[in-house]
């Protein structure tokens, strides 16, 4: 949701000098490994693009990576279709 992303963007911008990684995931129960990798890459990039282009977060503070399909990030598979943010 955009409201949550705005909050995240504000927190990142307030953290001068810190860098963050956006990790995209897909669930392993659906799709092939290569399809899930593409989905997870696109999911992470979509969050990156919104933070940079809509909320003016500096690209120098962000990077993104797709982690492919995972089965154990969360207990319920649909919840594995996420992007996470962590400090480097």
């Amino acid at each position: 949701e955009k409201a949550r992303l705005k909050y995240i963007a504000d927190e990142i911008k307030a953290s001068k000098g810190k860098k963050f990684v956006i990790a995209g995931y897909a669930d392993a129960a659906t799709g092939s490994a290569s399809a899930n990798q593409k989905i997870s890459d696109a999911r992470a990039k979509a969050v990156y693009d919104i933070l940079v282009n809509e909320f003016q977060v500096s690209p120098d503070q962000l990077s993104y990576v797709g982690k492919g399909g995972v089965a154990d990030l969360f207990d319920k598979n649909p919840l594995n279709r996420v992007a996470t943010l962590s400090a480097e």
Side-chain angles (χ1 to χ4, degrees), residues 21-49:
V21 178
I22 302 161
Y25 296 88
D27 73 82
T30 58
S32 67
S34 63
N36 282 334
Q37 185 62 51
K38 288 178 188 175
I39 290 166
S40 67
D41 289 340
R43 186 167 281 134
K45 185 175 183 331
V47 173
Y48 173 92
D49 288 344

Side-chain angles (χ1 to χ4, degrees), residues 37-67:
Q37 185 62 51
K38 288 178 188 175
I39 290 166
S40 67
D41 289 340
R43 186 167 281 134
K45 185 175 183 331
V47 173
Y48 173 92
D49 288 344
I50 291 169
L51 290 173
V52 170
N53 298 324
E54 293 186 33
F55 296 114
Q56 291 74 49
V57 172
S58 170
D60 294 336
Q61 282 189 274
L62 293 175
S63 62
Y64 65 90
V65 63
K67 297 287 191 171

Side-chain angles (χ1 to χ4, degrees), residues 4-20:
R4 289 182 188 163
L5 288 176
K6 182 184 181 327
Y7 173 80
I8 290 168
D10 291 343
E11 292 297 313
I12 292 170
K13 290 190 282 188
S15 301
K16 301 281 188 211
K18 287 190 178 179
K19 295 187 179 204
F20 299 86

